[in-house]
Amino acid sequence: MTAVDARPPETADGASSVLYTYDLAPTKKEGRRWGAYNVFTLWANDVHSLGNYAFAIGLFALGLNIWGILAAFALASVLLFLLLTLSGFMGHKTGVPFPVMSRIAFGIKGAKIPAAVRGIVAIAWFGIQTYLASTVLSALLIAMFPGLRSLDANSLLGQSTLGWITFMTLWALQLVIVSYGMQMIRRYMAFAAPTTLITMCALAIWMFVRADAAISLSVDAPLTGGAMWLQILQAAALWVVIYGTFVLNFCDFTRSAKSRASIVRGNVIGIPLNMLFFAVIVVVLSGAQFKLDGRIITSPTDIVRTIPNMLLLATASLALIALTVAVNLLANFVAPIYALIDLFPRRLDFRRAGVVSAVLGLAILPWNLYNSPIVVNYFLGGLGALLGPLFGVIMADYWLLRKARINVPDLYTENPQGEYHYRGGFNPRAVAAFVPSAAVAVVVALLPFFQSVAGFSWFVGAILGAALYALIADRGAQIRDVDGEAIAVAAE
């Protein structure tokens, strides 16, 4: 009887075909093209999303005055700049995407845990953001062609005929863009960023003029004293939580960055400066509308729909749609693509994984998710709370334990002697730090008893995860610093 060779299939330079594909491979340092402007466009697009505007305008409704809103975003932007710069440096150093980066702390098999969590959250929000953009497109079409209103009166699986048409149109558009890879995404962002900034700035100026160049500083009964400062801290923490997904997989983009300096410059302009610019637009929109009629808006679309000029209405609506598509591509499409490739490396490449991700985003009927507070709060909220502990463990392993010394080729080998093989491909110490910190974070996020501090769940999980891992990590293991140029592929 012939013996069966149980060794894992290997590619050139000892990389396993189970762990190494073209899309998961490290990028060559020579030829990386993402400069400071490309990093800036990530934030210029992602910050000015419909969901973010709804969140920020909601702070005005909760009783924060405009100075409190500005203070919340100033604090959040500093925190995010630090977190995202640390995360971005990891991508530039190694050239690998997030599912591979996770192998450093969790092991070559254990890394599928953080990749899957990040991918599930992203797929759900991909569908929801596409639905939100489709509602703007539906409203625009009805304004331009009132006869289409009849197509918006029925319901099929929770969506009207017009809703299905607009959703599938935007769904297909994003799929086409992603099918051309990261280079096309970079080009789309470069187009969408200035369009978004100009449009939102023009909308704020228009509202300011309508309100006779004056705005309300707050609602009639604003928060004061300790309640105000607690709300400021909660708002800053929640803003960081919103980006909890991005701080994990920022390396998916910075793996193509030219230098550390380009990441820092792009982050400086894109995060503190851009976020404060965003906050100014928010306070002008909400304060001007409240001064006009005492009404508290919930989204920029509330204002867009009041624009009397059809050309301006169409321009503003299309800009919001272009913006939402850009946000989706960045935050909610790339992450699950790499996660799916990592799960099924022999069957999926970037384009095929994009199709699978898009189909899953459609199959969950996202409008039903968005309209269900229970699903959003418990399912997505619970999953979101897991991102903090993951970030804490990965950061502690990379920066505190290894001090940025990474053996990149060993991220792709199934050799039991490999640096990231640990115990059967899993690092039990990382799992031991993640599980209790994740449990605490989810409890803080979801139990009504902790409602007053629920906004800090991401930080609770991240700090606890990092502290536990730093306490129990194996400091006796050999740590080598080896670049991945020998197995690297060209950066897009």
Side-chain angles (χ1 to χ4, degrees), residues 98-121:
F98 174 67
V100 178
M101 185 73 69
S102 302
R103 296 172 187 172
I104 299 171
F106 284 87
I108 56 173
K109 294 181 180 178
K112 297 185 187 302
I113 298 171
V117 171
R118 176 65 182 94
I120 292 170
V121 173

Side-chain angles (χ1 to χ4, degrees), residues 345-430:
R346 295 176 179 172
R347 292 183 175 88
L348 298 178
D349 56 16
F350 195 92
R351 180 175 294 183
R352 290 174 183 170
V355 173
V356 173
S357 181
V359 169
L360 291 174
L362 169 63
I364 62 175
L365 303 179
W367 44 89
N368 293 329
L369 288 182
Y370 184 73
N371 293 323
S372 172
I374 293 177
V375 173
V376 172
N377 290 338
Y378 287 93
F379 176 65
L380 293 178
L383 282 174
L386 299 179
L387 301 178
L390 289 174
F391 181 79
V393 171
I394 291 171
M395 291 294 111
D397 183 86
Y398 184 92
W399 291 108
L400 298 180
L401 180 67
R402 302 181 184 280
K403 296 179 172 55
R405 293 170 296 168
I406 303 301
N407 184 347
V408 176
D410 271 19
L411 292 170
Y412 299 93
T413 180
E414 292 188 278
N415 188 327
Q417 303 306 313
E419 199 165 327
Y420 310 106
H421 191 271
Y422 295 109
R423 189 177 301 170
F426 292 84
N427 181 3
R429 297 172 190 261

Side-chain angles (χ1 to χ4, degrees), residues 297-386:
I297 59 173
T298 59
S299 169
T301 54
D302 294 342
I303 293 175
V304 168
R305 288 167 181 165
T306 67
I307 297 176
N309 183 286
M310 184 56 69
L311 178 60
L312 293 178
L313 172 64
T315 302
S317 298
L318 291 174
L320 287 177
I321 293 168
L323 157 68
T324 306
V325 168
V327 171
N328 238 6
L329 293 173
L330 296 173
N332 303 319
F333 218 157
V334 173
I337 285 175
Y338 282 126
L340 287 167
I341 294 172
D342 186 51
L343 290 171
F344 306 102
R346 295 176 179 172
R347 292 183 175 88
L348 298 178
D349 56 16
F350 195 92
R351 180 175 294 183
R352 290 174 183 170
V355 173
V356 173
S357 181
V359 169
L360 291 174
L362 169 63
I364 62 175
L365 303 179
W367 44 89
N368 293 329
L369 288 182
Y370 184 73
N371 293 323
S372 172
I374 293 177
V375 173
V376 172
N377 290 338
Y378 287 93
F379 176 65
L380 293 178
L383 282 174
L386 299 179

Side-chain angles (χ1 to χ4, degrees), residues 104-300:
I104 299 171
F106 284 87
I108 56 173
K109 294 181 180 178
K112 297 185 187 302
I113 298 171
V117 171
R118 176 65 182 94
I120 292 170
V121 173
I123 287 172
W125 281 113
F126 161 75
I128 289 172
Q129 289 278 14
T130 302
Y131 164 65
L132 292 176
S134 72
T135 62
V136 177
L137 181 56
S138 295
L140 173 61
L141 291 175
I142 290 174
M144 296 176 66
F145 310 103
L148 293 177
R149 193 178 299 276
S150 61
L151 296 179
D152 201 38
N154 63 328
S155 178
L156 176 62
L157 297 178
Q159 182 78 295
S160 69
T161 300
L162 181 61
W164 273 104
I165 293 171
T166 55
F167 180 90
M168 292 305 299
T169 298
L170 296 178
W171 180 88
L173 171 64
Q174 293 172 93
L175 190 56
V176 169
I177 294 172
V178 166
S179 70
Y180 286 94
M182 289 294 289
Q183 185 174 358
M184 181 59 72
I185 293 175
R186 177 171 61 89
R187 290 175 178 172
Y188 180 82
M189 289 190 306
F191 152 76
T195 301
T196 297
L197 293 175
I198 292 171
T199 301
M200 297 310 297
C201 187
L203 186 60
I205 293 172
W206 178 72
M207 282 295 294
F208 189 64
V209 172
R210 279 186 65 197
D212 297 325
I215 62 174
S216 295
L217 300 183
S218 68
V219 294
D220 293 332
L223 296 173
T224 58
M228 179 188 72
W229 285 106
L230 178 60
Q231 187 60 62
I232 288 173
L233 294 175
Q234 284 259 31
L238 285 170
W239 189 245
V240 175
V241 170
I242 289 172
Y243 284 87
T245 53
F246 228 137
V247 294
L248 274 178
N249 74 300
F250 191 30
C251 57
D252 288 343
F253 304 94
T254 57
R255 65 194 291 248
S256 297
K258 295 177 181 178
S259 65
R260 278 190 168 196
S262 65
I263 296 172
V264 173
R265 288 196 301 269
N267 279 351
V268 166
I269 302 171
I271 301 174
L273 295 180
N274 182 44
M275 285 186 178
L276 286 176
F277 176 67
F278 164 83
V280 169
I281 291 177
V282 166
V283 299
V284 170
L285 292 179
S286 51
Q289 185 65 57
F290 193 77
K291 181 179 183 297
L292 283 170
D293 57 13
R295 184 167 63 94
I296 300 174
I297 59 173
T298 59
S299 169

Side-chain angles (χ1 to χ4, degrees), residues 463-487:
I463 293 171
L464 187 57
L468 285 176
Y469 188 75
L471 184 65
I472 65 176
D474 181 8
R475 286 176 167 75
Q478 181 184 18
I479 298 176
R480 295 188 298 157
D481 193 28
V482 183
D483 67 34
E485 288 295 297
I487 58 172

